[in-house]
Amino acid sequence: MNPKDQTPLPALSTRYVFGLKSDVKHNIFHISDTKLCYIAGHQLVVYSAEEQKSQQFFPGLEGSLGITAMAIHPNKKQVAVAEKAERAVVIVHNIETQKKKVLALNGSESSAQEISSMAFAPFADKNYLVTLMAAECLVVYWQWDKQRVIAHTKIQGVSTMNEISINPLDHSSILCVGNGSVKYFRQIENGMKLLNNVMNKKDQNTSNNYTCHAFLSDGKIIVGTEAGELLLLDNSGEYKQCLSSSPFDGWGIECIVPWSKGFIVGGDNATLYIYERNTEDPKNPYQRVMRSLQVKTANNNPIDAKIKGISISPSEDMIVCTLENNLMYQSLFQIDRIGEVENSFELVSYDFHSQAIKGLDVCVRKPLLVTCSTDKTVRIWNYLDKTLEISQNFSEEAYCVGFHPSGCHIVVGFADKLRMMNVLSDSIKTFKDIHQKSCKEVKFAHGGHKFAAVHSTWIQIYNFYTGEAPHHLGRNHTAKIRGICWTEDDQSIITAGWDGFIYIYNIHTGVAERQFQEKAVNFSSVLITLDKKSILAVGSDKCLREFGEKDQKKTMDTGYTVGQVCMAQSQKMVFAAMAEPDRPGSIRVYRYPLTGEYYEYQAHSAPIERIALTYDDQYMFSVGQDGVLIMHDIKDKEGRGPKREKEATPLAFSDEFLVPKHKLDQASNEILSLKNELDNLNRQNDHGFAVLTKEKDAIIVKLQEDIRANNEQDKIKYERLRDEKHELELTYKEKMRKMNEDHDKAVGKTEKDYAQRISTEKQRYKELYDEKLEAKAQFEHKQMKIKTEDDRMKAALRSKHASELRAIKGDSERIAVEKDDLYEKHKSKREKIEDQYEKEIDMIKEKNAEEIQKNKQAGEEHKSKKTMMTKSFDQLGTVVKKKEIRIKDLKKHIGQKQEEIDTARKDIVSQLKEIQERDKTIADKDKRIQELKKKTQELEKFKFVLDYKIKELKKDINPREEEIAKMKEQTSNMDAELRHF
């Protein structure tokens, strides 16, 4: 294949996750009343209950060793995830923008690999985060938005610490608890100060293994122990008392969560205890709600598991808890109704597997897949609806499982038998037991008419429809068979074992037609291409091998142990599942034919056990030792699914399911009974309707007669009232006529009297008006004289006062301008210095990152060259001596490159020293800024002196203003006198 013609490798993306990682510290949080965030596999999951149980994913860092802790910011927008690596890292995810910030310590600060606990500062506007490295007992205080360390300290004399948090009333106060120690720190400038021993007053009989703690809303602290004791500390961290209502009796406390009226405690036996604040009794400040909350199954059976995490919704109407068996339960949180319902908890999502999943198979004709686990359950999932269809418990562990292509049957391998089972609508029912012990692999043929089952070193082929076993294969193997695969035509089966052999058997003759051998390799998975020309196998030697025709062989180093391998129907992609012990499980997508190019996606937190593809190559499923089932989308870089070679109309999924005959008969009888009941109800309804109709008709006739009688009475009453109205109208008309005549006479008399009075008043008005004009002339003359004198005095006073004010204001404005200029110069100079050094630091960091990346690339190139030369050595045996000389030269060359890498690392160290020198320079500049601040303070003192002078001048102005006020008062008095005249 021409590399130029190759399309980009498809990428895997998580579509849905069934599972939970319960060993993460603080593993569940509410983002809102309907949204939760938790860890599943190797990703942060945001689960929305209102959006049809949708999930949003934030994957972990590739190459890390797993997620160890989680914390949520008070604003509910940022979630911090701690990951184990060569040096522990923290990723702060923004849930809304999906951006992230990575926090990592440099080698000089710490080389710790794991963060056990962390917490955000409790104020929404404070971007601080504190982390605890349990192994080193190291506390680090971060400013996470700047990605820098503010302070760090190592706790001395302590073996391990369990949990850390920040005081909600003071973000500089930090509390750590652990085995035998409670430490209270205060963050100071460039360091952390350890306060006095906070537990020195504690009773000696109290347990010293402090497992968890919580700050309450009033700043007090509750500390829990492994013996079930709850210890109360005051705001300063000093021990006060052990609560008398503590659980005690060795009930281990795992987590404590505060709420508005108290706190909630979770621990052994899936039990919660709720405590409320008690203001009536100072000796018992917190009292326990009488009844505890215990999480139980849907059948009301108790669960023997510890509660590992608790979260309360922001509105405090819902509580969610996680158990160590990887399940999440929720319940309404109503204190006044606790105890009314025996089991108020229900699953948040579905009943996940609680232990490692060992078996997986996908159905062809239905959107179903089946899994089996060491938790002794077999579960069937619907991957389109994202639901759990059936969950069946067994008394023993299921080792493997196979799904019939029709979706109506499964075969499950147990320790002592194989069970052939029917998949019903709501359960799984066994219809035949086959006595074959310890079957670890089972596989249906593509046609579903046969299935292969492995027992140790041999393999049995069964006829599915008869249960007979006509063929007994695999006698050639000397060690356990761990991988089987059918050819496309179901005529042959391929087996791979721990003895390093791969055989191709003809199922009709039972003879091994071909075989391949790799010494000292324990094969775990095998597949064959559709054209039967190539076989791919993986095993314990961390290699992907391809065996072709005429003994052709290709070996590709994977770097890690590969547990499973499968190929897409398009024959263009090979999927390899990593199963390296003590490392998260990742999936690699290789291009086929194999070129060495691959895309890797880290999905699980533990090695992967099984992977499987849907028949149309749209989805891939993976299960692992972490008990998580993950559904992946197979998409290219543009988000499109892989194309099939032969386009054809897709066959719709089957929706039929099996029903037992007795259930079918029972349903038929129920239908018949319901039909008879319906007929009886219809007859009763018809009879009742007829009787009711007659009663209503009689009522209607009676009402009509009453209406007619009422109408006649109303008509007679109307005629009588009309006659009375007419008589009243005639009477009132006569009265109105008489009243009008009397009114006209009275008006004439009144007009005559008022005419005489008006003439008399007019004469008197004329005389008074003449007197008024003469008095007014005298008053205006006198007023003009007084006003002229007053204006002259006012103008003199105003001009004098204005000149003095202008002088004072000029001095004040000049001083203010000088102060503002000095402040602006100081501020701009400080900002320039800060920006300049931040840019220099960023440039140095980018330069170092580029050089490190170049060195890594050079190392990878040399590693690939070494691998190629090793392969040439195996293939060209005739020129061994020449190749040995060449290899020695290459090793010398690699040594030189290693020296170059060491030199580059020394350069990095020198650059780090240069950064430290830059930090010292910044400190000097900070001192300069402090000096400028002192000058600013002196200017403030000078301003205070000027303010004092202005106040003195204002005191001189006040007597003059009083004089002016007196003059104004005299003027107003004179105006009043003038008005009087």
Side-chain angles (χ1 to χ4, degrees), residues 452-500:
V454 172
H455 170 64
S456 187
T457 62
W458 51 270
I459 184 168
Q460 197 80 33
I461 306 297
Y462 292 92
N463 188 320
F464 175 74
Y465 297 106
T466 63
E468 297 175 350
H471 303 294
H472 186 73
L473 311 177
R475 296 183 182 275
N476 305 76
H477 284 284
T478 59
K480 291 182 179 180
I481 300 173
R482 295 313 304 266
I484 57 175
C485 175
W486 289 85
T487 57
E488 186 68 16
D489 57 7
D490 293 337
Q491 299 302 308
S492 302
I493 191 167
I494 299 90
T495 64
W498 281 1
D499 55 1

Side-chain angles (χ1 to χ4, degrees), residues 230-233 238-244 282-286:
L230 291 171
L231 311 180
L232 179 65
L233 282 63
E238 184 179 353
Y239 174 81
K240 288 299 180 182
Q241 67 179 88
C242 176
L243 297 184
S244 59
K283 295 183 179 179
N284 187 23
Y286 291 93

